[in-house]
Amino acid sequence: MAKVLMIHPDKCTGCRNCELACSFEHEGQFRPSAARVQAYTWEREGMSVPMMCQQCDDAACVTVCPTGAMHRSNTMANLVDWDAATCIRCKMCTIACPFGNARYDAASSSIFKCDTCQGAPECVTFCPSGALEFIDDEQHVRSRKKAYAAKFKDAFQEVS
Amino acid sequence: MYGWTGTILRIDLTKGKVKREATDVKMAHDYLGARGLGGKIIVDELDPKTDALSPDNKLIFAPGPFTGTFAPSAGRYEVITKGPLNNVIACSNSGGAFGPELKYAGYDALIIEGKAAKPSYLWISDDKVEIRDAAAIWGHDTPDTTDLVRAETDEEAKVACIGPAGEHLSLIANIMNEMHRAAGRTGVGAVMGSKNLKAIAVYGTGSVQVADPDRFKAAVMNARKLIQAHPVGGAGLKAYGTDVLVNILNQTGALPTRNFQDGYFPTADKIGGESLAAKQLVRPKGCFSCIISCGRVSKVDNPDYKGFGEGPEYETAWSFGADCGIDDLDAITKANFLCNEYGMDTISMGSTIACAMELFEMGAITAKDTDGVQLTFGNTAAMVEMVRKAGKNEGFGAKLAQGSYRLAESYGHPELSMTCKKQEMPAYDPRGVQGIGLNYATGNRGGCHVRGYTIAIEVLQNGAVMDPRVTEGKAGLDILFQNLTAALDSSGACLFSTFGIGGAELAEMLSALTGVEYSLDEFLRIGERIWNQERLWNLKQGYTTADDTLPDRLLNDPIKTGPAKGEVSHLDQMLPEYYSLRGWDEKGVPGKAKLKELALN
């Protein structure tokens, strides 16, 4: 079974440990602007939402890539991988991604996108609130669905 | 440098000049950052006799070495200046993401000098620094100011600003960042207002470097594990916020009530963290790099006090609650939102209103003084109205905005101001908890709980147990906590991380991060150095041993009801021992041997 990164914005506290863990893992330094995940906060609403590559099955970044540098991984399921050697830095992937989850970093001349730390995402390890989960793709919405079903259950119990 | 950025930014608002200076490496090693490093700059550069609201005062914003890393709950910064409320060396600590952003922009500290000719704000984007016109922003509350400044700079900029209270030079004004986080106490917001500086916006794309990444990560994972396994750090604070303390302190008999006339509030449960979680909590929130999430995103639906924001903390629930004889949590939370918007200190505001209520009930002031308001204990609407008036500096509010000492003194009753060194005490009655009274009396910024939080041992039994009613051993406990906290503050860590970790874990993380080896002893010595540095500066400013005291009420009038009934503070039994253990003479002046040991002049 393959795994996917699941985001639960309702649990996010806005601490940005995900960004710190990501930049530390990939860059060996603390530089949120180089993280492949960003947690945005709306202070008036008191809400935060982490954003990272969703490893789309039908990925626009892969489709537009003229060299095949952005490709579905042969070795890992549910991973869109980026190959620095074949990439020509045309940045088409950053334009194509509707979520803004692929980004060009001028300082390192790289495309920054989530690579799930090759199957062991550090953001998940460091998230203190369960807002990020790396979970079997067969079950990735089960807890959310069941939590909502429980609300129905409670409502029905009250009227029956 | 590792941990530090190596650069300090000096901004002269009078001349409009910006200068970059190298961080003094030895100074950084000896004083860490934030409170320690900023304090050292104040000590070196600012005459203690300087008028706090004059252009000669300096206003420093400084993160610590941990700030911007994933050291758990360690993304804080400190505002260091001369505090106009009581002329002490001020160090106001705040969380959020402003401190880390300063580091990413490349700075260990901002030193702000002089006074801008007209309302201005600073825009710092990595190397680019601009002093900009704030004419259109002046007068706005802190959330609007934040939005307006972002609209003119960068939507992801982190903004620290003052509200109307700071503009009016209220002596209880805060500096607020990201709308809800406060650098409070001692009136630091008024210093910013006196410089015509409305806001500072920062955006950074740089990094914090680590000396030994593997060792740092291992130390961080260990610290995280300890905090997450702790019942307070790992669970209690997230579930109920700091307001969980209301019932605990009430059950100890040390919840100051009606301006410290009593130490027990029968309906305290209505204003505690459990009630807050049930009635108002939307979700918990964490500051940058936090794994505790004590922040409360909260909502009040009650049409009289409708609002949305963050809070209240324990101190706030107490100051507007028990201390004002009020058990209406909706009104308390509304007062908290207003303080955040106007940019005012909730402890000082609530305690000042409580003082006014006592003056009113004894007849020292009447409705003529209070703009027609019946300012009695328990009057919720009057309490909220007074916060508004203070925020706008209007009518009787202009008096409240100067804090309880000046208020009480102006009506001939300074003894009713529940302050130490003219700063309002927080929510732990020194008659019911002896050690915290000694900490208030010796506090380097006046009445304050976060210099040496002995409550952790005396009440919460965090790692050790000491009877709150006894005085034995409290001098040593206070000193240990004051030193540890001074070092912790200077590292960028949050005090709440000590619900899980201590000096040993902090020293290990700091060594791995900076590449400078810090033992636990050395870490504590840095704290002691910082404490003594602050003490010396305050003495030069004019403070003496006579100021190391508590209001007469706490020394002479026993608590009337509750578990601590009959208790008074026995400060006289603790203070001489405190001086002696500190290596100070009987007048509270650090001795030569101590100064030499700490490498202080």
Side-chain angles (χ1 to χ4, degrees):
Chain A
M1 237 177 310
K3 287 189 166 189
V4 293
L5 258 164
M6 187 71 181
I7 299 170
H8 301 277
D10 54 314
K11 291 183 184 168
C12 181
T13 64
C15 70
R16 296 168 67 191
N17 271 299
C18 51
E19 298 180 28
L20 294 167
C22 182
S23 76
F24 190 66
E25 173 68 18
H26 290 96
E27 308 294 321
Q29 57 185 346
F30 295 104
R31 189 177 157 223
S33 64
R36 281 65 164 165
V37 52
Q38 256 83 37
Y40 292 100
T41 294
W42 284 261
E43 283 139 10
R44 280 190 191 268
E45 289 91 354
M47 255 322 262
S48 299
V49 181
M51 290 283 286
M52 83 269 286
C53 173
Q54 296 299 295
Q55 320 293 345
C56 306
D57 281 354
D58 190 3
C61 58
V62 172
T63 307
V64 298
C65 182
T67 67
M70 197 64 86
H71 62 282
R72 290 213 67 82
S73 168
N74 301 322
T75 51
M76 274 190 68
N78 281 351
L79 181 71
V80 173
D81 220 348
W82 171 74
D83 178 27
T86 47
C87 175
I88 58 170
R89 277 72 174 171
C90 68
K91 310 175 193 69
M92 288 301 286
C93 54
T94 70
I95 299 166
C97 177
F99 309 104
N101 281 332
R103 196 166 61 77
Y104 175 69
D105 179 62
S108 58
S109 182
S110 303
I111 299 298
F112 283 171
K113 73 168 285 297
C114 172
D115 61 358
T116 70
C117 301
Q118 303 303 317
E122 284 287 286
C123 55
V124 174
T125 305
F126 276 80
C127 176
S129 65
L132 297 176
E133 229 183 343
F134 199 49
I135 189 170
D136 288 347
D137 57 3
E138 295 291 331
Q139 297 172 10
H140 73 290
V141 294
R142 195 172 70 182
S143 63
R144 186 175 289 181
K145 200 167 184 174
K146 195 169 177 187
Y148 211 85
K151 288 185 191 175
F152 273 118
K153 180 203 68 164
D154 293 345
F156 279 121
Q157 265 178 342
E158 235 164 73
V159 294
S160 62
Chain B
M1 290 174 89
Y2 299 107
W4 296 278
T5 66
T7 304
I8 288 174
L9 195 61
R10 190 183 290 271
I11 297 156
D12 185 329
L13 293 173
T14 306
K15 294 178 185 151
K17 288 225 166 98
V18 176
K19 210 168 106 192
R20 272 173 193 75
E21 298 170 6
T23 304
D24 184 313
V25 174
K26 183 169 183 345
M27 203 193 280
H29 291 180
D30 291 350
Y31 293 86
L32 304 184
R35 175 176 165 187
L37 185 72
K40 174 66 173 157
I41 296 169
I42 290 288
V43 165
D44 286 350
E45 300 187 8
L46 189 68
D47 178 352
K49 298 284 188 191
T50 306
D51 176 353
L53 294 179
S54 75
D56 294 335
N57 197 1
K58 302 195 182 201
L59 181 66
I60 298 173
F61 291 76
F66 285 143
T67 311
T69 74
F70 63 16
S73 306
R76 303 186 72 87
Y77 76 97
E78 200 105 22
V79 174
I80 311 99
T81 185
K82 181 173 181 177
L85 177 70
N86 51 359
N87 289 324
V88 295
I89 182 164
C91 31
S92 298
N93 189 293
S94 182
F98 182 80
E101 204 70 29
L102 271 179
K103 290 282 283 285
Y104 301 138
Y107 307 107
D108 290 322
L110 308 181
I111 305 171
I112 296 163
E113 303 173 333
K115 178 184 180 178
K118 56 184 185 182
S120 303
Y121 73 90
L122 284 175
W123 167 220
I124 301 168
S125 175
D126 291 330
D127 289 342
K128 193 185 73 182
V129 182
E130 293 175 26
I131 303 169
R132 291 185 169 187
D133 182 32
I137 298 164
W138 199 259
H140 283 280
D141 68 18
T142 59
D144 284 353
T145 298
T146 304
D147 282 344
L148 289 165
V149 170
R150 280 188 180 149
E152 290 186 11
T153 56
D154 187 301
E155 62 181 319
E156 287 303 312
K158 300 294 174 266
V159 177
C161 67
I162 53 170
E167 296 174 14
H168 297 135
L169 309 183
S170 160
L171 298 182
I172 59 171
N174 288 349
I175 295 169
M176 304 293 298
N177 57 283
E178 290 113 88
M179 303 189 189
H180 313 290
R181 296 284 116 200
R185 316 256 55 198
T186 69
V188 296
V191 176
M192 199 155 154
S194 75
K195 297 190 173 303
N196 266 333
L197 185 60
K198 178 66 173 166
I200 303 172
V202 186
Y203 184 71
T205 60
S207 66
V208 179
Q209 305 286 328
V210 186
D212 186 338
D214 290 341
R215 183 180 168 193
F216 185 61
K217 188 176 174 187
V220 166
M221 292 309 271
N222 179 51
R224 285 171 60 99
K225 218 177 285 170
L226 290 168
I227 294 168
Q228 282 169 331
H230 193 281
V232 178
L237 282 170
K238 183 167 187 182
Y240 300 118
T242 56
D243 198 22
V244 71
L245 288 166
V246 165
N247 284 318
I248 296 169
L249 266 296
N250 203 40
Q251 283 151 17
T252 308
L255 185 69
T257 298
R258 291 183 298 281
N259 202 35
F260 286 78
Q261 292 184 80
D262 210 339
Y264 181 72
F265 191 52
T267 53
D269 185 47
K270 291 169 76 174
I271 64 172
E274 298 85 347
S275 297
L276 170 61
K279 283 182 69 184
Q280 299 175 351
L281 180 67
V282 178
R283 69 180 64 83
K285 189 172 165 184
C287 294
F288 194 93
S289 87
C290 186
I291 62 169
I292 298 172
S293 315
C294 72
R296 309 285 89 182
V297 175
S298 50
K299 185 167 75 132
V300 179
D301 294 321
N302 176 346
D304 293 339
Y305 304 117
K306 201 171 168 54
F308 190 97
E310 280 187 36
E313 300 280 344
Y314 165 60
E315 305 298 332
T316 309
W318 159 78
S319 72
F320 293 123
D323 205 36
C324 288
I326 285 170
D327 62 10
D328 181 337
L329 191 60
D330 288 344
I332 291 166
T333 303
K334 180 67 181 180
N336 191 158
F337 292 161
L338 289 170
C339 281
N340 288 355
E341 288 156 20
Y342 289 119
M344 291 192 296
D345 185 281
T346 58
I347 297 175
S348 289
M349 184 75 270
S351 180
T352 303
I353 293 171
C355 172
M357 286 173 165
E358 188 169 354
L359 288 167
F360 190 93
E361 291 204 343
M362 73 187 290
I365 59 174
T366 68
K368 272 189 200 159
D369 300 292
T370 60
D371 311 323
V373 176
Q374 292 296 310
L375 197 53
T376 51
F377 284 111
N379 187 341
T380 52
M383 181 275 286
V384 174
E385 183 56 22
M386 287 299 146
V387 175
R388 269 200 197 93
K389 282 175 172 290
K392 293 179 184 165
N393 205 39
E394 133 195 319
F396 187 61
K399 286 206 142 186
L400 297 172
Q402 300 305 302
S404 70
Y405 184 82
R406 287 160 181 86
L407 174 80
E409 192 187 39
S410 73
Y411 292 108
H413 290 282
E415 77 282 3
L416 295 187
S417 166
M418 291 299 112
T419 51
C420 294
K421 299 186 177 76
K422 297 184 185 171
Q423 171 159 270
E424 290 72 16
M425 290 177 290
Y428 310 89
D429 197 313
R431 293 169 293 192
V433 188
Q434 294 293 329
I436 201 70
L438 176 63
N439 174 63
Y440 291 168
T442 58
N444 280 338
R445 64 174 185 179
C448 171
H449 57 303
V450 289
R451 301 295 94 168
Y453 192 66
T454 60
I455 300 298
I457 304 293
E458 295 184 279
V459 178
L460 303 176
Q461 306 183 351
N462 179 28
V465 181
M466 279 175 107
D467 184 342
R469 304 282 154 72
V470 306
T471 55
E472 288 80 21
K474 296 298 169 65
L477 178 70
D478 257 309
I479 291 168
L480 175 66
F481 273 43
Q482 288 174 344
N483 293 349
L484 173 65
T485 307
L488 175 146
D489 282 349
S490 304
S491 74
C494 172
L495 185 55
F496 293 163
S497 65
T498 58
F499 290 112
I501 61 172
E505 287 79 15
L506 290 164
E508 170 61 16
M509 288 193 291
L510 197 59
S511 304
L513 171 66
T514 62
V516 183
E517 283 303 316
Y518 293 100
S519 63
L520 173 59
D521 280 353
E522 178 56 21
F523 189 70
L524 289 172
R525 196 169 306 118
I526 289 171
E528 188 180 11
R529 179 180 299 131
I530 293 163
W531 190 268
N532 278 272
Q533 150 176 290
E534 292 168 351
R535 174 75 178 183
L536 285 170
W537 199 88
N538 284 346
L539 291 171
K540 282 181 201 154
Q541 197 290 135
Y543 278 107
T544 69
T545 181
D547 299 298
D548 292 340
T549 190
L550 295 169
D552 285 349
R553 170 170 288 172
L554 305 182
L555 302 172
N556 302 319
D557 303 348
I559 289 180
K560 294 180 188 125
T561 64
K565 183 179 170 181
E567 297 286 341
V568 294
S569 167
H570 303 293
L571 180 64
D572 58 334
Q573 294 174 16
M574 300 179 281
L575 193 60
E577 187 191 1
Y578 175 93
Y579 284 172
S580 161
L581 289 175
R582 274 252 174 244
W584 299 354
D585 67 18
E586 70 283 358
K587 288 187 172 161
V589 180
K592 274 191 184 146
K594 180 54 74 180
L595 296 183
K596 198 174 167 202
E597 179 195 325
L598 297 174
L600 285 168
N601 299 320

